[in-house]
Amino acid sequence: MEVQAIDEGFVTPIETIVPEVLVRSTKHTPKSSPKLSHGSPEPKRTKAAWELMSEEQPQRMSSLKSYRVGSFNRKPRGLLMPSKDVNLDRFLMTTTLSGDLTFWDIYTREMVAQLTPSELLNGWCEHMTWITPNAIAIAAQDDTARVKKSEYVQHQVALLYDIRPSRKAGLEYQLKHLPLTPHTKGVSVLCQMQTGKDVFFLSGSNDRKICLWKIKDGISSQTLSTIATQRVHNQHTSTVLSLLYQPHSKSVYSGGNDSKFIKWDIEHESNVLTPGRHMAAIRDILPVHGHPDVVCLSYLSQTTNLKVFDTRGGSERCVMTLSYGKVVEEKAGSKYTKAAISPNGQLVAAGTDSHSAIYIFDLRYVRAQSEPPQQIVLHENRVPCCDFLEYRTGKQSLVSIGNDNRLIFTDYQL
């Protein structure tokens, strides 16, 4: 496929499912577990390599060079960055409303392999995430939605595993539709949790519940018949839109269409944050790398777009509020419009539901809250997903999919 350059851009609970490091101590119960409060001392933490709002000058992307990589037959839906596996770190994935899942080579910038709806049999891909270095969990379209019977098999999560490069086929893989259906409605979001001898991942659903999945002894054709699930909590009153697992605190962050933001302590089975609602539905929870207890939230809002919170000490202290400046969303937006954070945690990129620009925020900049962010226009229509890509060579790109049915790689320097 030719790469085209464009102009520079303006069930039943199962006790053994919980990972060993997360198993509750027998000396504690949920009732007597110590809970953090506003007056609790903050846990000790090493000094971060960089600080929020500490620099007088913002980082700006420069020397932009963009490349249009083919086109989609329908609007794109999802974007997944490459695995950390040395054999798969050159492939990223995209999905579309037609139900395709496509692998792209980030170096040649060509399509490598494509799974069609007749193979995936899940309508479209509602969400996807790496759960091991060579396995992807895929959430199926809710079976209540209209879908061709020939392109759907009853399931909530499918696994694409044993993914490996192939000279003949580009990529080889195994596909398994998991028989377990722990949710009463479709899965809306998936999240990697922990890998090792056993594999764990999380699912959030339209049924308001969050479930933990365990695959004992890793992923293979033999072990996929011994999968277990367990409910984590049902604190949300509407669809769960976002999940993030933080291993250092053994906590699951979740955001919902109910505007609730929850930090669930798995060991003590409790929400360590003060109960309440935010000003809008929370569609993204992003880790701020280098700051373990700091997260960036993206909202389904016409006014405030992003907020950064420090969640130490059992509180959720807002430390930054970011917006697109004078741009106001024409509507509350889509849950499929996703923000992204750079590998070093310093930059946030986000598209909008009303405009074609991508907005770049520098979390180190002292006036990031008051000055408009950098704007990059690459697409002819709105941009539902974009993400940062770092190559082995150190080169950096911003990858974006737009409703102009384009996948675009934009090389940049800082």
Side-chain angles (χ1 to χ4, degrees):
M1 182 178 295
E2 182 181 356
V3 177
Q4 179 184 0
I6 62 176
D7 292 336
E8 219 174 87
F10 322 76
V11 292
T12 304
I14 299 173
E15 294 298 330
T16 57
I17 189 173
V18 182
E20 184 177 350
V21 297
L22 300 178
V23 173
R24 265 183 324 198
S25 167
T26 55
K27 297 180 182 179
H28 294 86
T29 64
K31 291 183 179 179
S32 61
S33 300
K35 297 181 182 179
L36 295 173
S37 64
H38 291 287
S40 302
E42 294 183 350
K44 292 183 179 180
R45 146 179 158 188
T46 56
K47 184 175 176 60
W50 60 277
E51 297 298 331
L52 297 166
M53 296 186 293
S54 61
E55 300 294 328
E56 290 293 331
Q57 295 296 324
Q59 293 185 96
R60 299 292 189 191
M61 290 183 176
S62 62
S63 304
L64 303 180
K65 187 64 177 179
S66 296
Y67 301 87
R68 287 177 178 166
V69 182
S71 60
F72 303 108
N73 58 358
R74 288 193 66 186
K75 289 180 180 179
R77 167 58 61 82
L79 175 66
L80 182 62
M81 289 294 103
S83 165
K84 294 181 180 179
D85 184 280
V86 67
N87 295 314
L88 297 175
D89 64 357
R90 65 183 302 125
F91 305 112
L92 65 79
M93 282 64 66
T94 60
T95 62
T96 69
L97 282 174
S98 65
D100 298 322
L101 190 158
T102 306
F103 287 83
W104 305 86
D105 189 314
I106 64 174
Y107 291 97
T108 64
R109 294 177 177 175
E110 295 180 339
M111 185 177 72
V112 177
Q114 186 174 70
L115 282 75
T116 63
S118 59
E119 182 177 5
L120 281 172
L121 298 174
N122 67 344
W124 63 61
C125 172
E126 188 70 18
H127 194 245
M128 58 183 173
T129 186
W130 290 100
I131 57 172
T132 75
N134 71 339
I136 300 171
I138 303 170
Q141 179 184 6
D142 192 334
D143 60 7
T144 60
R146 294 181 180 179
V147 61
K148 295 179 181 178
K149 291 183 178 180
S150 61
E151 297 179 356
Y152 193 85
V153 63
Q154 182 67 38
H155 71 290
Q156 292 182 345
V157 175
L159 292 187
L160 200 62
Y161 66 99
D162 196 17
I163 307 170
R164 57 196 182 279
S166 167
R167 289 186 177 181
K168 291 183 178 180
L171 281 176
E172 294 180 350
Y173 49 82
Q174 301 291 326
L175 177 65
K176 173 70 173 179
H177 299 92
L178 302 184
L180 293 181
T181 54
H183 296 283
T184 57
K185 295 183 179 180
V187 172
S188 52
V189 61
L190 295 165
C191 175
Q192 179 182 357
M193 189 174 183
Q194 178 179 324
T195 57
K197 181 181 178 182
D198 300 330
V199 175
F200 299 88
F201 64 95
L202 297 160
S203 61
S205 170
N206 298 326
D207 69 0
R208 306 169 296 180
K209 298 182 181 66
I210 297 171
C211 287
L212 171 67
W213 300 62
K214 174 185 177 180
I215 306 173
K216 187 174 175 58
D217 297 326
I219 299 177
S220 68
S221 300
Q222 291 73 35
T223 61
L224 291 182
S225 60
T226 59
I227 298 177
T229 63
Q230 176 179 312
R231 190 176 70 187
V232 177
H233 72 73
N234 59 349
Q235 300 292 303
H236 288 282
T237 57
S238 188
T239 299
V240 180
L241 297 178
S242 49
L243 289 171
L244 173 67
Y245 174 65
Q246 288 288 44
H248 79 282
S249 62
K250 304 183 182 69
S251 299
V252 175
Y253 290 94
S254 60
N257 206 39
D258 55 6
S259 306
K260 288 185 178 181
F261 176 47
I262 293 171
K263 182 180 180 181
W264 190 257
D265 185 322
I266 294 181
E267 184 177 0
H268 297 144
E269 296 185 351
S270 62
N271 179 18
V272 301
L273 300 179
T274 303
R277 296 178 188 267
H278 284 220
M279 47 76 174
I282 301 167
R283 62 183 169 192
D284 278 321
I285 304 175
L286 306 173
V288 179
H289 308 297
H291 296 264
D293 299 289
V294 177
V295 292
C296 179
L297 272 56
S298 169
Y299 295 95
L300 281 164
S301 170
Q302 291 180 273
T303 53
T304 301
N305 310 112
L306 299 156
K307 286 189 176 184
V308 178
F309 288 90
D310 188 333
T311 65
R312 288 176 293 168
S315 63
E316 47 182 277
R317 183 170 62 91
C318 181
V319 293
M320 297 182 75
T321 298
L322 306 171
S323 67
Y324 302 138
K326 294 182 179 180
V327 175
V328 177
E329 293 277 50
E330 296 173 0
K331 54 184 179 180
S334 166
K335 66 178 182 178
Y336 300 108
T337 301
K338 300 294 183 180
I341 199 156
S342 62
N344 63 10
Q346 297 172 6
L347 298 179
V348 177
T352 80
D353 293 292
S354 304
H355 307 276
S356 59
I358 299 173
Y359 294 83
I360 310 296
F361 301 88
D362 182 0
L363 300 185
R364 301 185 311 160
Y365 185 39
V366 294
R367 288 178 286 279
Q369 299 185 93
S370 58
E371 293 187 4
Q374 182 180 10
Q375 297 182 37
I376 302 174
V377 178
L378 306 168
H379 294 267
E380 298 173 2
N381 208 326
R382 71 181 186 89
V383 180
C385 295
C386 58
D387 211 337
F388 297 89
L389 180 62
E390 285 191 350
Y391 301 80
R392 299 173 192 166
T393 59
K395 186 175 76 171
Q396 301 174 99
S397 294
L398 184 70
V399 182
S400 56
I401 54 176
N403 279 5
D404 54 0
N405 293 355
R406 292 285 189 180
L407 168 65
I408 294 181
F409 285 71
T410 303
D411 300 335
Y412 67 90
Q413 295 179 2
L414 291 174

